[in-house]
Amino acid sequence: MSKILIVVSLLVAHMCPLATIASEQKNAGAAKSQWWQHAVFYEVYPRSFADSNNDGVGDLNGIASKLPYLQDLGVNAIWITPCFPSPQVDFGYDVADYESIDPMYGTLADFDRLVAEAKTRNIKIILDFVPNHTSDQHKWFQESKSSRTSPKRDWYIWRDGKGPNQPPNNWTSTFGGSAWKYDPTTGQYYYHYFYAEQPDLNWRNPEVKKAMMDAMRFWYKHGVAGFRLDAVDTLLEDPDLKDNPPLPGMDKFGFPNTNEIYNKKLPEVHDVMREMRKVADEYGAVLIGETWTQSVAQLREYYGERNDELQMPMDLMMTEFKQPSAPVFREHISAVEDAGGWPVFVISNHDIVRSYTRWGDGAHNDDIAKMMAAMYLTLRGTPILYYGEEIGMENNDPKSKDDVRDPIGRRGWPLEKGRDGERTPMQWSDAVNAGFTEGTPWLHVAPNYKTHNVASETTDPNSILNFYRRLLQLRRDQPALRDGEYVALNPEDPNVFAFLRSFKGEAVLVVLNMSRESNTVSLDLAKAGFPSAKVHVLLTSSSRPQRAVSKKLSIGPFSAFIAKVSK
């Protein structure tokens, strides 16, 4: 069979650049799809998004004021990281009250108003729920630590030490040091996988389960459409507290490495996920999981054998890819497709160095940002954007220990700089403090705010922001990008990653040059069911027109080409 080569029309010159667990999900048409399958999620770090009262910290009313922007961008759901009352040791991930709003962010009435205003724009609100631990200031823990006979003693994990000044076992905190803290009041240690100010709840206690499920119902009744579940892997621990097997070397805090088989990813975690799913189903809600895995096979487990656990376990593996690579991404997406289930793609979040910095090469950063957007926003699945990704925000890591706000950075400096760099204020304009606040921002604004901000990029037709807007409009306009099957193309190409999203006799073609050199691409569309394909260009990330070169597609360095294909 002879190859069918793509002929790219010169009409593009006038365009603006721009297993089996869920086989029915994978092949479902629009009639069977759930709202979250077609949605675009957007993570907001509330401290850093928009400050309505100019105290230097973002708030709920600030988020509400930006709903028109998010609607125009094409966002369907906002995931808000924890905004509950908290001492802010871990910036909200140390919850002191699961059923209220921290005054720094506003009031419960402000939250209800945000939900209502978002609803008028067809935007849903997702909250970040922290089930693994509470703050040590939570009333539950205060009661638990009051005495060994406290009714809530067993709500947390208390144990005697192995001997004088010896914790119960060798488990270490992910934030450094022993995972056990001695309490002189009762003469026992309590377990904390994260900071000592974040004691782990005992999920083997039925009363804890009930209290946490009730807290979730509280927010469902206030109109939230679901939860992102923090640190689900660490919910349960081996009841016998066996030592973790040692591994070679030391961690970044100077403690021996261990294989965390007795305090992470225990099978009973899935029992909890199923119980949470039952509650979510009562309200038609969605559960998103912070699911760190080393393989797609591990990720698959979080959907549940009967698709009865998380609807949206996050694929975080791409965040660990060191650079754009067609073979690496092609192989990964192929594995995701073979696994079944509904994929959830993430390339940045509040704990991860921003993709603009992580994948940028210093010369083509904007081009790479557009090209990677074209990938994760056109694949089969649901994307989760991190605020500022759409304008090319870069990391602004602390320059000295004195600048560090994140405790993990202060403890591990200089090997560990903390997560401040990816949490800097949203860049709304080139005004003072990037238009985030008229006060003193809680973190320094990233240096590129003068060129990479919403106001400036809105007026630039070649900006990252306008590329995102056009790309997200394509997701709304093209049924193939919502429900189409993924069809891999050019499997041996070392530089170009190409695929089709095929649906009911039409398809969207996506071609991504992941190299710093121009490439000429030939694609066999006959094998994909389009023997005499008609190609209409939809979007290109290049500011220069794409041209047909010897009936082959010539595509520039780190660029994206998207076209509609019909028979």
Side-chain angles (χ1 to χ4, degrees), residues 48-68:
S48 296
F49 193 63
D51 178 13
S52 69
N53 60 3
N54 294 314
D55 64 355
V57 176
D59 46 54
L60 295 179
N61 288 335
I63 297 172
S65 73
K66 301 302 183 181
L67 287 173

Side-chain angles (χ1 to χ4, degrees), residues 48 99 133 171 279 390 497 557:
S48 296
E99 298 183 1
H133 51 267
W171 296 354
V279 176
E390 75 277 14
F497 177 27

Side-chain angles (χ1 to χ4, degrees), residues 35 39-43 75-79 122-126:
W35 70 266
V40 174
F41 286 71
Y42 187 95
E43 180 190 355
V75 168
N76 309 109
I78 303 170
W79 152 27
N122 295 315
I123 296 175
K124 299 180 186 295
I125 300 297
I126 307 294

Side-chain angles (χ1 to χ4, degrees), residues 14 126 205 214 312 376 534 563:
H14 75 272
I126 307 294
N205 184 329
D214 286 347
M312 293 177 59
Y376 84 106
K534 299 176 182 178

Side-chain angles (χ1 to χ4, degrees), residues 280-546:
D281 286 346
E282 294 174 16
Y283 297 89
V286 67
L287 296 178
I288 306 170
E290 184 191 16
T291 41
W292 286 99
T293 61
Q294 296 178 337
S295 69
V296 173
Q298 290 179 356
L299 184 66
R300 180 185 185 274
E301 297 174 3
Y302 287 94
Y303 292 96
E305 291 183 3
R306 295 183 173 86
N307 196 30
D308 56 355
E309 295 184 33
L310 304 178
Q311 298 105 315
M312 293 177 59
M314 288 192 285
D315 178 357
L316 294 162
M317 286 172 277
M318 290 197 301
T319 67
E320 298 183 323
F321 295 169
K322 301 303 181 185
Q323 60 188 12
S325 165
V328 169
F329 279 96
R330 185 187 297 119
E331 180 181 6
H332 180 71
I333 299 306
S334 177
V336 169
E337 286 292 318
D338 290 344
W342 189 257
V344 181
F345 295 113
V346 180
I347 65 172
S348 285
N349 71 18
H350 62 281
D351 289 329
I352 302 168
V353 173
R354 284 189 174 274
S355 62
Y356 188 88
T357 297
R358 195 172 65 249
W359 286 329
D361 66 352
H364 303 89
N365 289 26
D366 284 15
D367 296 327
I368 293 171
K370 293 177 187 178
M371 183 264 295
M372 296 306 295
M375 184 196 70
Y376 84 106
L377 296 178
T378 60
L379 288 168
R380 185 186 70 89
T382 299
I384 303 179
L385 283 66
Y386 185 44
Y387 81 95
E389 204 160 41
E390 75 277 14
I391 58 173
M393 280 181 62
E394 63 184 357
N395 254 58
N396 186 28
D397 293 329
K399 305 302 185 292
S400 71
K401 187 175 181 180
D402 291 340
D403 293 332
V404 179
R405 298 292 303 275
D406 187 3
I408 188 176
R410 294 198 299 271
R411 180 176 295 180
W413 186 273
L415 294 179
E416 171 61 70
K417 290 182 170 62
R419 299 159 294 177
D420 296 340
E422 51 263 34
R423 299 174 175 184
T424 57
M426 177 66 175
Q427 296 161 199
W428 294 105
S429 72
D430 63 0
V432 175
N433 300 324
F436 165 71
T437 183
E438 294 178 9
T440 301
W442 78 285
L443 285 176
H444 298 301
V445 174
N448 74 342
Y449 82 94
K450 286 287 187 180
T451 55
H452 291 70
N453 62 74
V454 171
S456 299
E457 293 193 37
T458 295
T459 61
D460 177 3
N462 297 324
S463 68
I464 300 172
L465 176 58
N466 277 321
F467 186 75
Y468 263 86
R469 284 173 170 161
R470 292 170 183 136
L471 195 50
L472 292 178
Q473 184 64 51
L474 283 184
R475 284 181 63 92
R476 297 191 292 273
D477 293 345
Q478 300 296 324
L481 290 180
R482 297 194 301 273
D483 296 295
E485 177 186 3
Y486 169 87
V487 181
L489 302 173
N490 72 325
E492 304 302 324
D493 196 309
N495 299 311
V496 178
F497 177 27
F499 56 90
L500 289 177
R501 296 292 309 285
S502 181
F503 185 69
K504 294 185 176 180
E506 292 188 337
V508 171
L509 167 68
V510 181
V511 184
L512 308 166
N513 183 4
M514 293 188 165
S515 75
R516 61 177 59 248
E517 307 294 336
S518 294
N519 282 277
T520 300
V521 191
S522 298
L523 299 172
D524 188 347
L525 297 184
K527 290 182 179 179
F530 295 89
S532 55
K534 299 176 182 178
V535 178
H536 172 69
V537 178
L538 296 173
L539 181 62
T540 172
S541 65
S542 174
S543 59
R544 295 172 296 178
Q546 300 287 333

Side-chain angles (χ1 to χ4, degrees), residues 135-186:
S135 165
D136 62 354
Q137 301 304 305
H138 196 293
K139 61 183 180 182
W140 297 344
F141 186 73
Q142 290 296 305
E143 184 174 344
S144 179
K145 70 178 292 190
S146 63
S147 75
R148 292 196 183 197
T149 59
S150 165
K152 285 189 168 57
R153 185 66 169 183
D154 193 44
W155 282 45
Y156 297 84
I157 300 168
W158 294 91
R159 293 292 189 277
D160 293 327
K162 285 184 176 180
N165 300 314
Q166 295 183 33
N169 61 25
N170 71 343
W171 296 354
T172 56
S173 164
T174 195
F175 288 157
S178 173
W180 297 93
K181 182 173 181 179
Y182 183 72
D183 173 45
T185 303
T186 56

